[in-house]
Amino acid sequence: MGDVFKALADPTRRTILDELTERDGQTLFEICARLASKHGLGSSRQAISQHLDVLEDAGLVKTRRAGRYKLHDIDTTPLRPIVERWLDKPATGSTPAKGSS
């Protein structure tokens, strides 16, 4: 789980995941172009490639070959243990917040 948190700690990596959520199966060139045009991020292809490596090591991005292209897809599987640990638990013994009914 530590690799997932490390990967998510960087805003550029979170933006890459946002872009892959919006449109899966992008090449490095496509990701770089979308980051530059939509988010004003002028990172080099080498820097984005390194970010993708961190995301892949954490299991958040999977790569596949299509001819001479390497495509990147988001994989949310590593997020499930986080959701189950902190978000999917029923509230027990909690009191309603002020002003809520």
Side-chain angles (χ1 to χ4, degrees):
M1 206 181 302
D3 287 345
V4 173
F5 285 114
K6 176 185 170 192
L8 294 173
D10 185 89
T12 300
R13 289 194 282 269
R14 291 192 305 270
T15 304
I16 291 169
L17 291 175
D18 289 341
E19 286 303 317
L20 290 175
T21 298
E22 189 174 305
R23 191 173 138 250
D24 231 2
Q26 295 184 60
T27 65
L28 174 61
F29 179 80
E30 291 170 315
I31 293 168
C32 290
R34 288 173 68 101
L35 292 176
S37 66
K38 287 179 65 180
H39 304 281
L41 295 174
S43 300
S44 68
R45 281 190 294 200
Q46 181 179 359
I48 299 303
S49 180
Q50 290 172 346
H51 284 302
L52 285 165
D53 287 343
V54 172
L55 291 167
E56 190 172 5
D57 289 346
L60 293 166
V61 168
K62 301 288 183 202
T63 58
R64 59 187 162 92
R65 290 274 178 193
R68 47 185 279 224
Y69 298 103
K70 183 178 180 182
L71 304 176
H72 301 85
D73 299 297
I74 190 167
D75 184 356
T76 58
T77 305
L79 299 174
R80 287 193 179 108
I82 296 168
V83 169
E84 290 169 0
R85 182 172 178 173
W86 288 301
L87 300 176
D88 279 349
K89 292 190 177 207
T92 57
S94 63
T95 57
K98 281 187 173 183
S100 65
S101 34

